[in-house]
Amino acid sequence: MTEVSIILPTYNRGDLLPRAVNSVIKQTFTDWEMILWDDGSTDNTKEIVSRFSDNRIKFSSDENRGVAYARNRALEKAGGKYIAFLDSDDEWVNDKLERQVSIIENCTQIDALFGNFANVNLVKGEAGDGFTQNASSLAYLTTETLEPGVYLV
């Protein structure tokens, strides 16, 4: 059984998709499969995906029905012990899966895990820390520090 199934829905993001896919290929944790679901793209998405020769990447497509439909169809194909979600305009740091699998394996009270993110606006050239930008909402959560930078909610 694969450890992590990565669900990556996409729609007309051929220009950004390589960055997202490459951020998974570069992971230090290698026991993953990517279910890449094309939600009816009319750009070069299929051609872009065909350039990746990694057999852990599984490609499916259907007519455009929205991101929720695409995520759900990809989830039906997932065979991993854990599920990770990646949007086609996002990138992961190289040790994301390694750190998160380690945390969830060692803290059995955790049912779901999420991490901070850099929120980058490519058009405006602005970047910000996601947790800082969403601090008012996150303040409603009760947390416990598991290790520096890792909190149990």
PDB file of all heavy atoms in Angstrom, residues 53-70:
ATOM      1  N   SER A  53       7.619  11.505 -16.524  1.00  0.00           N
ATOM      2  CA  SER A  53       7.742  10.061 -16.732  1.00  0.00           C
ATOM      3  C   SER A  53       7.683   9.275 -15.425  1.00  0.00           C
ATOM      4  O   SER A  53       7.970   8.089 -15.411  1.00  0.00           O
ATOM      5  CB  SER A  53       9.049   9.756 -17.475  1.00  0.00           C
ATOM      6  OG  SER A  53      10.156  10.227 -16.726  1.00  0.00           O
ATOM      7  N   ASP A  54       7.294   9.889 -14.352  1.00  0.00           N
ATOM      8  CA  ASP A  54       7.228   9.239 -13.039  1.00  0.00           C
ATOM      9  C   ASP A  54       5.964   8.383 -12.968  1.00  0.00           C
ATOM     10  O   ASP A  54       4.846   8.893 -13.087  1.00  0.00           O
ATOM     11  CB  ASP A  54       7.232  10.310 -11.952  1.00  0.00           C
ATOM     12  CG  ASP A  54       7.505   9.746 -10.577  1.00  0.00           C
ATOM     13  OD1 ASP A  54       6.843   8.758 -10.197  1.00  0.00           O
ATOM     14  OD2 ASP A  54       8.369  10.296  -9.883  1.00  0.00           O
ATOM     15  N   ASN A  55       6.122   7.072 -12.752  1.00  0.00           N
ATOM     16  CA  ASN A  55       4.957   6.178 -12.740  1.00  0.00           C
ATOM     17  C   ASN A  55       4.087   6.333 -11.493  1.00  0.00           C
ATOM     18  O   ASN A  55       3.034   5.708 -11.394  1.00  0.00           O
ATOM     19  CB  ASN A  55       5.382   4.721 -12.935  1.00  0.00           C
ATOM     20  CG  ASN A  55       6.246   4.201 -11.812  1.00  0.00           C
ATOM     21  OD1 ASN A  55       6.577   4.918 -10.876  1.00  0.00           O
ATOM     22  ND2 ASN A  55       6.631   2.945 -11.902  1.00  0.00           N
ATOM     23  N   ARG A  56       4.499   7.175 -10.549  1.00  0.00           N
ATOM     24  CA  ARG A  56       3.659   7.452  -9.374  1.00  0.00           C
ATOM     25  C   ARG A  56       2.586   8.486  -9.694  1.00  0.00           C
ATOM     26  O   ARG A  56       1.672   8.690  -8.907  1.00  0.00           O
ATOM     27  CB  ARG A  56       4.523   7.941  -8.204  1.00  0.00           C
ATOM     28  CG  ARG A  56       5.520   6.882  -7.715  1.00  0.00           C
ATOM     29  CD  ARG A  56       6.472   7.453  -6.708  1.00  0.00           C
ATOM     30  NE  ARG A  56       7.340   8.451  -7.344  1.00  0.00           N
ATOM     31  CZ  ARG A  56       8.268   9.157  -6.704  1.00  0.00           C
ATOM     32  NH1 ARG A  56       8.448   8.995  -5.403  1.00  0.00           N
ATOM     33  NH2 ARG A  56       9.015  10.030  -7.355  1.00  0.00           N
ATOM     34  N   ILE A  57       2.695   9.124 -10.866  1.00  0.00           N
ATOM     35  CA  ILE A  57       1.716  10.125 -11.281  1.00  0.00           C
ATOM     36  C   ILE A  57       0.648   9.445 -12.129  1.00  0.00           C
ATOM     37  O   ILE A  57       0.947   8.865 -13.171  1.00  0.00           O
ATOM     38  CB  ILE A  57       2.384  11.258 -12.079  1.00  0.00           C
ATOM     39  CG1 ILE A  57       3.452  11.953 -11.218  1.00  0.00           C
ATOM     40  CG2 ILE A  57       1.342  12.258 -12.570  1.00  0.00           C
ATOM     41  CD1 ILE A  57       4.321  12.933 -11.980  1.00  0.00           C
ATOM     42  N   LYS A  58      -0.583   9.517 -11.673  1.00  0.00           N
ATOM     43  CA  LYS A  58      -1.710   8.909 -12.365  1.00  0.00           C
ATOM     44  C   LYS A  58      -2.627  10.024 -12.847  1.00  0.00           C
ATOM     45  O   LYS A  58      -3.104  10.824 -12.051  1.00  0.00           O
ATOM     46  CB  LYS A  58      -2.427   7.947 -11.437  1.00  0.00           C
ATOM     47  CG  LYS A  58      -1.555   6.742 -11.101  1.00  0.00           C
ATOM     48  CD  LYS A  58      -1.894   6.140  -9.766  1.00  0.00           C
ATOM     49  CE  LYS A  58      -1.069   4.929  -9.456  1.00  0.00           C
ATOM     50  NZ  LYS A  58       0.312   5.165  -9.219  1.00  0.00           N
ATOM     51  N   PHE A  59      -2.865  10.059 -14.150  1.00  0.00           N
ATOM     52  CA  PHE A  59      -3.615  11.139 -14.770  1.00  0.00           C
ATOM     53  C   PHE A  59      -4.993  10.673 -15.196  1.00  0.00           C
ATOM     54  O   PHE A  59      -5.141   9.614 -15.807  1.00  0.00           O
ATOM     55  CB  PHE A  59      -2.848  11.662 -15.994  1.00  0.00           C
ATOM     56  CG  PHE A  59      -3.536  12.759 -16.734  1.00  0.00           C
ATOM     57  CD1 PHE A  59      -3.544  14.047 -16.246  1.00  0.00           C
ATOM     58  CD2 PHE A  59      -4.183  12.497 -17.937  1.00  0.00           C
ATOM     59  CE1 PHE A  59      -4.184  15.074 -16.938  1.00  0.00           C
ATOM     60  CE2 PHE A  59      -4.818  13.503 -18.642  1.00  0.00           C
ATOM     61  CZ  PHE A  59      -4.816  14.796 -18.137  1.00  0.00           C
ATOM     62  N   SER A  60      -5.992  11.460 -14.853  1.00  0.00           N
ATOM     63  CA  SER A  60      -7.368  11.219 -15.306  1.00  0.00           C
ATOM     64  C   SER A  60      -7.956  12.556 -15.702  1.00  0.00           C
ATOM     65  O   SER A  60      -7.523  13.608 -15.233  1.00  0.00           O
ATOM     66  CB  SER A  60      -8.222  10.612 -14.190  1.00  0.00           C
ATOM     67  OG  SER A  60      -7.777   9.318 -13.856  1.00  0.00           O
ATOM     68  N   SER A  61      -8.973  12.508 -16.554  1.00  0.00           N
ATOM     69  CA  SER A  61      -9.643  13.749 -16.943  1.00  0.00           C
ATOM     70  C   SER A  61     -11.101  13.460 -17.256  1.00  0.00           C
ATOM     71  O   SER A  61     -11.494  12.325 -17.516  1.00  0.00           O
ATOM     72  CB  SER A  61      -8.956  14.379 -18.152  1.00  0.00           C
ATOM     73  OG  SER A  61      -9.055  13.535 -19.270  1.00  0.00           O
ATOM     74  N   ASP A  62     -11.868  14.504 -17.214  1.00  0.00           N
ATOM     75  CA  ASP A  62     -13.288  14.452 -17.531  1.00  0.00           C
ATOM     76  C   ASP A  62     -13.700  15.863 -17.932  1.00  0.00           C
ATOM     77  O   ASP A  62     -12.898  16.796 -17.830  1.00  0.00           O
ATOM     78  CB  ASP A  62     -14.080  13.973 -16.308  1.00  0.00           C
ATOM     79  CG  ASP A  62     -15.449  13.412 -16.660  1.00  0.00           C
ATOM     80  OD1 ASP A  62     -15.875  13.538 -17.830  1.00  0.00           O
ATOM     81  OD2 ASP A  62     -16.098  12.854 -15.763  1.00  0.00           O
ATOM     82  N   GLU A  63     -14.933  16.024 -18.360  1.00  0.00           N
ATOM     83  CA  GLU A  63     -15.414  17.351 -18.704  1.00  0.00           C
ATOM     84  C   GLU A  63     -15.411  18.230 -17.456  1.00  0.00           C
ATOM     85  O   GLU A  63     -15.420  17.732 -16.328  1.00  0.00           O
ATOM     86  CB  GLU A  63     -16.809  17.274 -19.311  1.00  0.00           C
ATOM     87  CG  GLU A  63     -17.863  16.758 -18.348  1.00  0.00           C
ATOM     88  CD  GLU A  63     -19.211  16.547 -19.010  1.00  0.00           C
ATOM     89  OE1 GLU A  63     -19.335  15.600 -19.808  1.00  0.00           O
ATOM     90  OE2 GLU A  63     -20.124  17.335 -18.707  1.00  0.00           O
ATOM     91  N   ASN A  64     -15.409  19.526 -17.655  1.00  0.00           N
ATOM     92  CA  ASN A  64     -15.371  20.484 -16.559  1.00  0.00           C
ATOM     93  C   ASN A  64     -16.643  20.411 -15.726  1.00  0.00           C
ATOM     94  O   ASN A  64     -17.734  20.623 -16.218  1.00  0.00           O
ATOM     95  CB  ASN A  64     -15.167  21.896 -17.108  1.00  0.00           C
ATOM     96  CG  ASN A  64     -15.076  22.913 -15.993  1.00  0.00           C
ATOM     97  OD1 ASN A  64     -16.034  23.627 -15.734  1.00  0.00           O
ATOM     98  ND2 ASN A  64     -13.951  22.967 -15.339  1.00  0.00           N
ATOM     99  N   ARG A  65     -16.440  20.052 -14.443  1.00  0.00           N
ATOM    100  CA  ARG A  65     -17.564  19.959 -13.515  1.00  0.00           C
ATOM    101  C   ARG A  65     -17.272  20.652 -12.197  1.00  0.00           C
ATOM    102  O   ARG A  65     -18.054  20.574 -11.268  1.00  0.00           O
ATOM    103  CB  ARG A  65     -17.912  18.494 -13.250  1.00  0.00           C
ATOM    104  CG  ARG A  65     -18.409  17.787 -14.490  1.00  0.00           C
ATOM    105  CD  ARG A  65     -18.862  16.415 -14.164  1.00  0.00           C
ATOM    106  NE  ARG A  65     -19.284  15.733 -15.388  1.00  0.00           N
ATOM    107  CZ  ARG A  65     -19.694  14.497 -15.415  1.00  0.00           C
ATOM    108  NH1 ARG A  65     -19.746  13.787 -14.315  1.00  0.00           N
ATOM    109  NH2 ARG A  65     -20.047  13.945 -16.552  1.00  0.00           N
ATOM    110  N   GLY A  66     -16.117  21.272 -12.087  1.00  0.00           N
ATOM    111  CA  GLY A  66     -15.772  21.999 -10.864  1.00  0.00           C
ATOM    112  C   GLY A  66     -14.782  21.250  -9.999  1.00  0.00           C
ATOM    113  O   GLY A  66     -14.629  20.035 -10.095  1.00  0.00           O
ATOM    114  N   VAL A  67     -14.103  22.012  -9.145  1.00  0.00           N
ATOM    115  CA  VAL A  67     -13.010  21.463  -8.347  1.00  0.00           C
ATOM    116  C   VAL A  67     -13.498  20.411  -7.346  1.00  0.00           C
ATOM    117  O   VAL A  67     -12.790  19.431  -7.083  1.00  0.00           O
ATOM    118  CB  VAL A  67     -12.204  22.590  -7.663  1.00  0.00           C
ATOM    119  CG1 VAL A  67     -13.017  23.281  -6.575  1.00  0.00           C
ATOM    120  CG2 VAL A  67     -10.889  22.065  -7.112  1.00  0.00           C
ATOM    121  N   ALA A  68     -14.687  20.572  -6.787  1.00  0.00           N
ATOM    122  CA  ALA A  68     -15.187  19.578  -5.827  1.00  0.00           C
ATOM    123  C   ALA A  68     -15.371  18.222  -6.508  1.00  0.00           C
ATOM    124  O   ALA A  68     -14.981  17.180  -5.968  1.00  0.00           O
ATOM    125  CB  ALA A  68     -16.495  20.047  -5.203  1.00  0.00           C
ATOM    126  N   TYR A  69     -15.943  18.237  -7.703  1.00  0.00           N
ATOM    127  CA  TYR A  69     -16.110  17.003  -8.465  1.00  0.00           C
ATOM    128  C   TYR A  69     -14.743  16.376  -8.757  1.00  0.00           C
ATOM    129  O   TYR A  69     -14.550  15.172  -8.577  1.00  0.00           O
ATOM    130  CB  TYR A  69     -16.857  17.294  -9.769  1.00  0.00           C
ATOM    131  CG  TYR A  69     -17.029  16.077 -10.653  1.00  0.00           C
ATOM    132  CD1 TYR A  69     -18.122  15.236 -10.478  1.00  0.00           C
ATOM    133  CD2 TYR A  69     -16.094  15.756 -11.637  1.00  0.00           C
ATOM    134  CE1 TYR A  69     -18.282  14.111 -11.280  1.00  0.00           C
ATOM    135  CE2 TYR A  69     -16.253  14.637 -12.431  1.00  0.00           C
ATOM    136  CZ  TYR A  69     -17.337  13.818 -12.254  1.00  0.00           C
ATOM    137  OH  TYR A  69     -17.485  12.696 -13.040  1.00  0.00           O
ATOM    138  N   ALA A  70     -13.799  17.193  -9.197  1.00  0.00           N
ATOM    139  CA  ALA A  70     -12.465  16.687  -9.531  1.00  0.00           C
ATOM    140  C   ALA A  70     -11.790  16.068  -8.308  1.00  0.00           C
ATOM    141  O   ALA A  70     -11.204  14.981  -8.394  1.00  0.00           O
ATOM    142  CB  ALA A  70     -11.609  17.819 -10.095  1.00  0.00           C
TER     143      ALA A  70
END
